[in-house]
Amino acid sequence: MTGGVERPPPRVTVVEVGPRDGLQNEPGRVPTAAKVSFVEALAGAGLRVVEATSFVSPKAVPQLADADEVMRSLRRRPDVRYPVLVPNERGLERALAAGADAVALFTAATEAFAEANVRASIAETFERFRPVAMRARTDGLWLRGYVSVAFDCPYSGRVAPESARDVALRLFDLGCDEVSLADTIGTATPGDVARLLDVALRDLPGNRLALHFHDTGGRALDNVAIGLDHGIAIYDSAAGGLGGCPFAPGAPGNLATETLLACLAGRGIETGVDRLAVEHAVAGLRDAIASAA
Ligand code: COA
Ligand code: ZN
């Protein structure tokens, strides 16, 4: 099954994850108002999906402990989706109370990473997700799923493409509208990406698959190119190349949204996003962090 993909796709959806994947790992204190302005500026730049924050345990990710306030303060645009990360039912309750209409569940392709990140086995993460997904469906929420460490795991090494594919399949079976395959530690090579997509596209809907690259090895754009060749039309990136995962040692920034946009524009692929406006959003955030320090 390829989900009717075009290779390369004429248009790509850029999923902005900076306010979540980026800021969850920001060492400096970021004022809540600066987070809200950042999300608003990114949406204003033409990004149609901006992952706004994360309703995980504030003990696990203190940087995003103000998720409720961020979501409540946000002036939302009707044409933009603002997914929030949710690890369990408690997270969903908080997200709904704050008015979220899109949520993202996250699990991993390896047991070791699931244990480190959410203190659960992969099977246990799906136990947690079942009530969340049911509620999401009855409440009409848009649902995203993440497969962390889809290529390499900092604890257990290389990941078999079939393992990542199987977890993605379970997320689709659960009712996810979209599933993102994440190179959480940024070590995937173009060959790895091709191998995973060749396996994944046999069983998964290609038009609902996203790729999420970190730029640790400097190969994120080469990896995007492989994704495009396979017809994948959804890419996650973080404005300013912010971020990384606090539970993935050595994970530096995500692929920068500006870099991704320049690459796509160079290939004549439409995104509808204004790159300069993204740069302004990043400058605004950096100023706010500097003056809060
Ligand atoms: N929001 C707020 N608090 C939460 C919560 C949520 N979604 N889920 C759990 N908690 C609180 C509990 O109330 C409890 O608080 P207490 O110690 O004051 O009683 C504490 O967190 C532990 O809860 P428990 O259910 O035992 O969870 P755990 O310790 O097994 O941790 C997770 C599981 C998933 C909640 C936690 O590991 C987590 O939030 N991880 C997120 C990791 C992450 O965001 N990684 C980056 C994204 S890839
Ligand atoms: Zn990431």
Side-chain angles (χ1 to χ4, degrees):
M1 192 192 326
T2 56
V5 295
E6 272 187 73
R7 303 159 188 246
R11 194 179 165 81
V12 151
T13 299
V14 176
V15 174
E16 172 59 50
V17 298
R20 194 280 304 172
D21 205 3
L23 294 185
Q24 77 183 8
N25 210 32
E26 173 61 37
R29 196 184 77 80
V30 185
T32 303
K35 296 177 181 174
V36 171
S37 303
F38 187 44
V39 174
E40 288 175 351
L42 292 166
L47 289 150
R48 296 290 78 125
V49 189
V50 183
E51 198 169 72
T53 185
S54 180
F55 289 89
V56 295
S57 161
K59 285 181 190 143
V61 183
Q63 291 91 336
L64 302 183
D66 58 358
D68 310 76
E69 203 184 333
V70 168
M71 279 310 279
R72 288 208 173 89
S73 313
L74 208 55
R75 269 169 305 170
R76 294 182 219 178
R77 304 169 70 104
D79 54 344
V80 176
R81 188 172 277 150
Y82 302 90
V84 295
L85 229 60
V86 157
N88 51 20
E89 269 189 289
R90 171 89 189 280
L92 181 69
E93 293 299 336
R94 290 174 58 207
L96 288 171
D101 60 6
V103 297
L105 305 171
F106 56 107
T107 183
T110 71
E111 296 293 349
F113 194 82
E115 184 57 45
N117 198 28
V118 292
R119 294 163 42 107
S121 66
I122 297 171
E124 284 163 348
T125 63
F126 279 93
E127 288 303 311
R128 288 177 187 171
F129 293 165
R130 195 167 302 127
V132 176
M134 274 172 63
R135 179 83 185 272
R137 203 168 306 132
T138 50
D139 283 30
L141 298 183
W142 185 83
L143 194 60
R144 175 173 239 239
Y146 278 102
V147 182
S148 293
V149 297
F151 301 92
D152 286 307
C153 173
Y155 310 112
S156 44
R158 291 180 68 75
V159 175
E162 291 76 11
S163 306
R165 186 263 328 262
D166 289 350
V167 174
L169 192 55
R170 289 178 73 177
L171 285 166
F172 278 120
D173 286 346
L174 195 70
C176 286
D177 294 290
E178 179 175 302
V179 172
S180 181
L181 301 170
D183 179 20
T184 309
I185 56 171
T187 52
T189 65
D192 295 337
V193 177
R195 269 187 293 281
L196 175 51
L197 290 177
D198 287 341
V199 169
L201 289 171
R202 281 185 224 136
D203 304 302
L204 305 175
N207 57 347
R208 296 197 281 137
L209 264 188
L211 290 170
H212 177 114
F213 294 120
H214 286 243
D215 209 15
T216 321
R219 283 185 293 247
L221 281 186
D222 297 335
N223 292 341
V224 167
I226 301 295
L228 293 170
D229 290 344
H230 283 75
I232 302 300
I234 311 167
Y235 295 88
D236 301 355
S237 62
L242 293 164
C245 174
F247 302 93
N254 289 73
L255 168 60
T257 303
E258 306 88 304
T259 308
L260 174 64
L261 291 172
C263 156
L264 294 171
R267 289 167 163 259
I269 295 174
E270 266 181 63
T271 60
V273 185
D274 176 348
R275 181 152 50 95
L276 270 181
V278 173
E279 286 170 10
H280 281 298
V282 173
L285 177 75
R286 293 208 196 283
D287 286 350
I289 293 176
S291 45

Coordinates of all heavy atoms in Angstrom, one line a residue, residues 20 24 54-61 85 87-88 90-91 94 106 117-119 128 148 245-247, ligand 1:
R20 N 7.6 22.4 21.0 CA 7.6 21.2 21.9 C 9.0 20.5 21.9 O 9.7 20.5 22.9 CB 6.5 20.3 21.4 CG 6.1 19.2 22.4 CD 7.0 18.0 22.4 NE 7.1 17.4 21.1 CZ 8.0 16.4 20.8 NH1 8.8 16.0 21.8 NH2 8.0 15.9 19.6
Q24 N 11.4 21.7 24.9 CA 11.5 20.7 26.0 C 12.9 20.5 26.5 O 13.2 20.0 27.5 CB 10.8 19.4 25.7 CG 11.6 18.5 24.8 CD 10.9 17.2 24.3 OE1 9.7 17.0 24.6 NE2 11.6 16.3 23.7
S54 N 3.4 20.2 25.5 CA 3.4 18.8 25.9 C 2.8 18.7 27.3 O 3.2 19.3 28.2 CB 4.8 18.3 25.9 OG 4.9 17.0 26.2
F55 N 1.7 17.8 27.4 CA 1.1 17.6 28.6 C 1.6 16.3 29.3 O 0.9 15.4 29.6 CB -0.4 17.5 28.4 CG -1.0 18.9 28.1 CD1 -1.1 19.3 26.8 CD2 -1.4 19.7 29.2 CE1 -1.6 20.6 26.5 CE2 -1.9 21.0 28.9 CZ -2.0 21.4 27.6
V56 N 2.9 16.3 29.4 CA 3.6 15.1 30.1 C 3.7 15.5 31.6 O 3.3 16.6 32.0 CB 4.9 14.8 29.4 CG1 4.7 14.2 28.0 CG2 5.9 15.9 29.4
S57 N 4.4 14.6 32.3 CA 4.6 14.9 33.7 C 5.6 16.1 33.8 O 6.7 16.1 33.2 CB 5.1 13.7 34.4 OG 5.8 14.1 35.6
P58 N 5.2 17.1 34.6 CA 6.2 18.3 34.8 C 7.5 17.8 35.5 O 8.5 18.5 35.3 CB 5.4 19.3 35.6 CG 4.2 18.6 36.2 CD 4.0 17.3 35.3
K59 N 7.4 16.7 36.2 CA 8.7 16.2 36.8 C 9.6 15.7 35.7 O 10.8 15.8 35.8 CB 8.4 15.1 37.8 CG 7.8 15.7 39.0 CD 7.5 14.5 40.1 CE 6.8 15.1 41.2 NZ 5.8 14.2 41.7
A60 N 9.0 15.1 34.6 CA 9.8 14.5 33.5 C 10.3 15.6 32.6 O 11.5 15.6 32.2 CB 9.0 13.5 32.7
V61 N 9.5 16.6 32.4 CA 9.9 17.7 31.5 C 9.5 19.0 32.1 O 8.5 19.6 31.7 CB 9.3 17.5 30.1 CG1 9.8 18.6 29.1 CG2 9.6 16.2 29.4
L85 N 1.5 17.0 22.9 CA 2.0 15.7 23.3 C 1.2 15.2 24.5 O 1.0 16.0 25.5 CB 3.5 15.7 23.6 CG 4.3 14.6 22.9 CD1 4.2 14.7 21.4 CD2 5.7 14.7 23.3
P87 N 1.0 11.7 27.1 CA 1.5 10.4 27.3 C 0.5 9.4 27.9 O 0.8 8.2 27.9 CB 2.6 10.7 28.4 CG 2.0 11.8 29.2 CD 1.2 12.6 28.3
N88 N -0.6 9.9 28.4 CA -1.5 9.0 29.1 C -2.9 9.8 29.3 O -3.0 10.9 28.8 CB -0.9 8.7 30.5 CG -0.5 9.9 31.3 OD1 -0.9 11.0 31.0 ND2 0.4 9.7 32.3
R90 N -4.2 11.1 31.9 CA -4.1 12.4 32.7 C -3.7 13.5 31.7 O -4.2 14.6 31.8 CB -3.0 12.1 33.7 CG -2.5 13.3 34.5 CD -3.4 13.6 35.7 NE -3.0 14.8 36.3 CZ -2.0 15.0 37.1 NH1 -1.2 14.0 37.4 NH2 -1.8 16.3 37.6
G91 N -2.8 13.2 30.8 CA -2.3 14.2 29.9 C -3.5 14.6 29.0 O -3.6 15.8 28.6
R94 N -5.8 17.0 30.8 CA -5.3 18.4 30.8 C -5.4 19.0 29.5 O -5.7 20.2 29.4 CB -3.8 18.3 31.3 CG -3.6 17.9 32.7 CD -2.1 17.7 33.0 NE -1.3 19.0 32.8 CZ 0.0 19.0 32.4 NH1 0.6 17.9 32.3 NH2 0.6 20.1 32.2
F106 N 3.0 9.1 21.9 CA 4.4 8.8 21.5 C 4.8 7.5 22.2 O 4.6 7.3 23.4 CB 5.4 9.9 21.8 CG 5.4 10.4 23.2 CD1 6.5 10.1 24.0 CD2 4.4 11.2 23.7 CE1 6.5 10.5 25.3 CE2 4.4 11.6 25.0 CZ 5.5 11.3 25.8
N117 N 12.1 6.7 28.4 CA 11.3 7.9 28.1 C 10.0 8.0 28.9 O 9.7 9.0 29.4 CB 11.0 7.9 26.6 CG 10.7 9.3 26.1 OD1 11.0 10.3 26.7 ND2 9.9 9.3 25.0
V118 N 9.3 6.9 29.0 CA 8.0 6.9 29.6 C 7.8 5.8 30.7 O 6.7 5.6 31.1 CB 6.8 6.8 28.6 CG1 6.8 8.1 27.7 CG2 6.9 5.6 27.7
R119 N 8.9 5.2 31.1 CA 8.9 4.2 32.1 C 7.8 3.1 31.9 O 7.0 2.8 32.8 CB 8.7 4.9 33.5 CG 9.9 5.8 33.8 CD 9.6 6.8 34.9 NE 8.8 6.3 36.0 CZ 9.3 6.1 37.2 NH1 10.6 6.2 37.4 NH2 8.5 5.7 38.2
R128 N -1.9 2.3 27.7 CA -2.2 3.7 28.1 C -2.9 4.4 27.0 O -3.7 5.3 27.3 CB -0.9 4.4 28.4 CG -0.2 4.0 29.7 CD 1.1 4.8 29.8 NE 1.9 4.3 30.9 CZ 3.2 4.7 31.2 NH1 3.8 5.6 30.4 NH2 3.8 4.2 32.2
S148 N 9.4 6.9 18.3 CA 10.7 7.4 18.6 C 11.7 6.3 18.2 O 11.4 5.1 18.2 CB 10.8 7.7 20.1 OG 10.0 8.8 20.4
C245 N 16.0 15.6 22.6 CA 15.2 15.0 23.5 C 16.0 14.8 24.8 O 17.1 14.2 24.8 CB 14.7 13.6 23.0 SG 13.8 12.7 24.2
P246 N 15.5 15.2 26.0 CA 16.2 15.1 27.2 C 16.5 13.6 27.6 O 17.3 13.3 28.4 CB 15.4 15.8 28.3 CG 14.0 15.9 27.6 CD 14.2 15.9 26.2
F247 N 15.7 12.7 27.0 CA 15.9 11.3 27.3 C 16.7 10.5 26.3 O 16.8 9.3 26.3 CB 14.5 10.6 27.5 CG 13.7 11.3 28.5 CD1 12.8 12.3 28.2 CD2 13.8 11.0 29.9 CE1 12.1 13.0 29.1 CE2 13.2 11.7 30.8 CZ 12.3 12.7 30.5
Ligands
COA1 N1 0.6 15.4 33.5 C1 0.9 15.8 34.7 N2 1.4 15.0 35.7 C2 1.4 13.6 35.4 C3 1.1 13.1 34.1 C4 0.6 14.1 33.1 N3 0.3 13.7 31.9 N4 1.2 11.8 34.1 C5 1.7 11.5 35.3 N5 1.8 12.6 36.1 C6 2.3 12.7 37.5 C7 1.6 11.8 38.4 O1 0.5 12.5 38.9 C8 2.6 11.5 39.5 O2 2.8 12.6 40.3 P1 3.1 12.5 41.8 O3 4.5 11.9 41.9 O4 3.1 13.9 42.4 O5 2.1 11.6 42.4 C9 3.9 11.4 38.7 O6 3.7 12.2 37.5 C10 4.2 10.0 38.3 O7 3.1 9.4 37.6 P2 3.1 7.9 37.1 O8 1.8 7.6 36.5 O9 3.6 7.0 38.2 O10 4.1 8.0 35.9 P3 5.6 7.5 35.7 O11 6.5 8.0 36.8 O12 5.6 6.1 35.4 O13 6.0 8.3 34.4 C11 5.1 9.4 32.4 C12 5.3 8.1 33.2 C13 4.8 9.0 31.0 C14 4.0 10.2 33.0 C15 6.4 10.2 32.5 O14 7.5 9.4 32.2 C16 6.5 11.3 31.4 O15 5.7 12.2 31.5 N6 7.4 11.2 30.4 C17 7.4 12.1 29.4 C18 8.7 12.0 28.6 C19 8.8 13.0 27.5 O16 8.0 13.9 27.4 N7 9.8 12.8 26.6 C20 10.0 13.6 25.6 C21 9.1 13.4 24.4 S1 9.6 12.3 23.2

